[in-house]
Amino acid sequence: MVRFVTSLLALSLSATVLASSNTITCSTSKQCPQDKPCCSQYGECGTGGYCLGGCDAQSSFSVDSCAPMPICENKSYTWDNLDNTVLNTKYLGNASAADWTYSGFPKTQDGNLLMTMPKNSVGSLFANNHYIWYGKVSGKIKSSRGKGVVTAFILLSDVKDEIDYEWVGADLTAVQTNYYWQGVLDWHNSANASVTNEDTFKDWHTYEIDWQPDQTQWIIDGVVKRTLKKSDTWNATANRFQYPQTPARLQMSLWPAGQKGNAQGTIDWAGGEIDWNSQDIQEKGYYYATVGKVDVTCYDPPKEAKKTGNNAYVYTSDTAMEADVAITGNSTVLGSLAATGLNMTYGAHSGSSTATGSDSVPTNMGGTGGMASNGTNTGSTGTSSGSSSGSGSGSGSASGASSTGFSQGTSATKGNSAPAQVERVLQGSFFAVLVAVVALVTL
Ligand SMILES: *[C@@H]1O[C@H](CO)[C@@H](O)[C@H](O)[C@H]1NC(C)=O
Ligand SMILES: *[C@@H]1O[C@H](CO)[C@@H](O)[C@H](O)[C@H]1NC(C)=O
Ligand SMILES: *[C@@H]1O[C@H](CO)[C@@H](O)[C@H](O)[C@H]1NC(C)=O
Ligand SMILES: *[C@@H]1O[C@H](CO)[C@@H](O)[C@H](O)[C@H]1NC(C)=O
Ligand SMILES: *[C@@H]1O[C@H](CO)[C@@H](O)[C@H](O)[C@H]1NC(C)=O
Ligand SMILES: *[C@@H]1O[C@H](CO)[C@@H](O)[C@H](O)[C@H]1NC(C)=O
Ligand SMILES: *[C@@H]1O[C@H](CO)[C@@H](O)[C@H](O)[C@H]1NC(C)=O
């Protein structure tokens, strides 16, 4: 889940984090204004990066404010280097140039990807830039470990349909499976899948999500652990299937759900408060989750899907159900960070393709798109008591002038859910942060 609770986040922000006053928040009941038409995954309005991965068509100025979404590609990913990845501050929507955007502290080791979470940081997040509109994703993964530490491998659509695997580091014998439709919290959606006689941290396992139009299966090492039938998600009152059905991105992350200051429900779900002096922190300097080969297989889109091209998915209505998605030839690439789905080429030749303002690249508050960070930790929220997903990372203070908050997942506690949007917490020079992050990453 990727909603946030302002008060919780605010509470958990460190003193060095300043909330910016000119942030415009957005939600499905409060769309963005025309000049900052895109509602980011974190519920804030802007242009550029706000219009890319995670841009919520239902909360944006209009259904075409977000940039079209790069279409599914069959592909296998291995990790000899990070050449096919890009920091989200540099990404303008060209998925052919970079398969993943990331934030945090990735490393490669023996052909594997290490998503790390150094002491007091907010972890790492990888989001695939190619959307999937039904398909199978498979990841060879070793989870992280320790109470309060959550590893995630999820499919997340821009309107918050979601299918999850989440490993809570306090229990290495199981992985939690979960799903959401348009971010609606339902406590019955979660289930545990055991990883028999094994340890999810020490042993490699292959975790698959087989997402089809009529059913979803969670498969571990070739064994079907859970099947969700679309027919079982019918809501007779609303006359609709509350089943994940919109183009989604694969996201992998490691995050501190048990960070002090998070909602108590989130900390409890994560197995307790995180220990920043754990064995892994002492020996390696960070918590880590290891990712081996990742495979994506695209299934055919629904037969009824409107198809006028082969480059991008677009929403045709803010109802954002399966029938409201079309496949088009539209470009997915923005001309600059000032461009939006309303004018994709705006600023293309002005040379302003680097992050210049705080409302052109979403501050990484977790959930999904984020930018890298050395967070002096900040807020993080988990999903509603006990189901959370998403992830992200914050951007840290590099120059001492800026620091950002980070949060992932939703937070709303059971029975007390009032998700609101988080405040923007980045203030200061994005460029300094970027430089610092690049330095960290290339070390
Ligand atoms: C997609 O392309 C069509 C035709 O060129 C255009 O009318 C429409 O505005 C584009 N949509 C977006 C979201 O860019
Ligand atoms: C996207 O990147 C690819 C590979 O770098 C390049 O060939 C292509 O021209 C780019 N497309 C756009 C629209 O910038
Ligand atoms: C999954 O297992 C954890 C303990 O490991 C437990 O707290 C949680 O309630 C279980 N969830 C479900 C849905 O059974
Ligand atoms: C079914 O739809 C109704 C009307 O929108 C809504 O109030 C209710 O919460 C939905 N049920 C579930 C289980 O989501
Ligand atoms: C991906 O691969 C599957 C199975 O091999 C095939 O059916 C499908 O058409 C391919 N899709 C794309 C977009 O290449
Ligand atoms: C998009 O912005 C450019 C300026 O960069 C402008 O010349 C062009 O007319 C705009 N297009 C539309 C459709 O508004
Ligand atoms: C984050 O920044 C602080 C001070 O700016 C520094 O002390 C700390 O080592 C950094 N953490 C990481 C993981 O780089």
Side-chain angles (χ1 to χ4, degrees), residues 374-397:
N374 161 5
T376 316
N377 191 342
T378 57
S380 143
T381 57
T383 301
S384 334
S385 102
S387 46
S388 98
S389 76
S391 53
S393 62
S395 53
S397 109

Side-chain angles (χ1 to χ4, degrees), residues 54-339:
C55 179
D56 188 338
Q58 294 182 303
S59 307
S60 293
F61 173 70
S62 56
V63 77
D64 54 354
S65 297
C66 299
M69 303 169 266
I71 201 170
C72 191
E73 264 187 38
N74 285 328
K75 216 155 180 173
S76 288
Y77 302 97
T78 51
W79 309 98
D80 289 324
N81 55 56
L82 296 175
D83 291 353
N84 61 342
T85 69
V86 67
L87 266 174
N88 88 323
T89 48
K90 299 258 184 137
Y91 181 65
L92 284 175
N94 189 347
S96 309
D99 292 313
W100 304 85
T101 48
Y102 73 89
S103 61
F105 313 91
K107 283 172 169 292
T108 54
Q109 193 175 83
D110 306 327
N112 299 313
L113 169 69
L114 245 56
M115 294 191 292
T116 77
M117 182 161 68
K119 191 168 185 170
N120 296 323
S121 80
V122 293
S124 296
L125 164 71
F126 270 70
N128 197 285
N129 294 327
H130 308 278
Y131 285 72
I132 299 167
W133 198 21
Y134 300 114
K136 188 184 216 175
V137 294
S138 159
K140 209 178 136 206
I141 295 169
K142 287 187 195 174
S143 75
S144 191
R145 63 175 168 182
K147 58 191 164 68
V149 178
V150 173
T151 310
F153 182 78
I154 73 172
L155 288 173
L156 178 63
S157 88
D158 292 353
V159 296
K160 299 168 181 69
D161 285 346
E162 185 174 328
I163 305 171
D164 300 343
Y165 274 113
E166 288 173 302
W167 294 261
V168 173
D171 178 6
L172 303 178
T173 66
V175 55
Q176 300 196 9
T177 63
N178 210 342
Y179 77 95
Y180 297 92
W181 167 80
Q182 293 193 1
V184 171
L185 304 176
D186 186 330
W187 313 113
H188 304 105
N189 294 357
S190 180
N192 286 326
S194 64
V195 182
T196 321
N197 296 328
E198 299 268 5
D199 179 326
T200 61
F201 170 77
K202 288 205 182 80
D203 308 304
W204 285 113
H205 292 284
T206 301
Y207 300 87
E208 290 175 278
I209 297 173
D210 188 356
W211 179 38
Q212 303 187 19
D214 60 345
Q215 71 169 27
T216 295
Q217 290 188 314
W218 286 261
I219 302 166
I220 304 179
D221 298 328
V223 177
V224 176
K225 294 288 185 170
R226 180 181 181 188
T227 300
L228 167 71
K229 297 242 178 257
K230 180 176 187 178
S231 53
D232 292 338
T233 67
W234 179 249
N235 181 330
T237 316
N239 215 29
R240 67 188 172 213
F241 288 104
Q242 298 190 161
Y243 179 78
Q245 54 195 272
T246 52
R249 292 182 304 154
L250 173 62
Q251 303 200 33
M252 312 186 293
S253 63
L254 177 62
W255 62 289
Q259 178 59 39
K260 194 174 175 177
N262 283 359
Q264 193 57 44
T266 302
I267 295 174
D268 293 345
W269 165 71
E273 230 177 78
I274 198 164
D275 174 8
W276 288 117
N277 290 307
S278 67
Q279 184 188 344
D280 288 338
I281 292 285
Q282 289 184 26
E283 289 174 3
K284 307 251 184 196
Y286 48 73
Y287 282 104
Y288 60 100
T290 318
V291 179
K293 189 160 169 269
V294 171
D295 289 305
V296 174
T297 305
C298 312
Y299 292 158
D300 291 338
K303 282 185 221 48
E304 306 74 29
K306 292 174 285 275
K307 194 165 178 194
T308 59
N310 204 22
N311 197 56
Y313 305 114
V314 301
Y315 286 104
T316 55
S317 153
D318 62 10
T319 314
M321 298 292 276
E322 184 181 270
D324 305 314
V325 177
I327 305 173
T328 72
N330 288 58
S331 168
T332 63
V333 184
L334 297 176
S336 74
L337 284 173

Side-chain angles (χ1 to χ4, degrees), residues 2-4 6 22-34 36-47 50-51 54-62 65-66 158 160 362 419-424:
V2 272
R3 291 185 182 180
F4 304 93
T6 307
N22 57 7
T23 300
I24 302 172
T25 61
C26 42
S27 66
T28 50
S29 54
K30 181 176 177 280
Q31 282 76 22
C32 291
Q34 192 162 8
K36 292 183 183 178
C38 299
C39 186
S40 77
Q41 169 169 343
Y42 312 110
E44 297 177 340
C45 303
T47 63
Y50 283 67
C51 305
C55 179
D56 188 338
Q58 294 182 303
S59 307
S60 293
F61 173 70
S62 56
S65 297
C66 299
D158 292 353
K160 299 168 181 69
Q421 305 304 343
V422 202
E423 309 236 0
R424 160 170 295 281

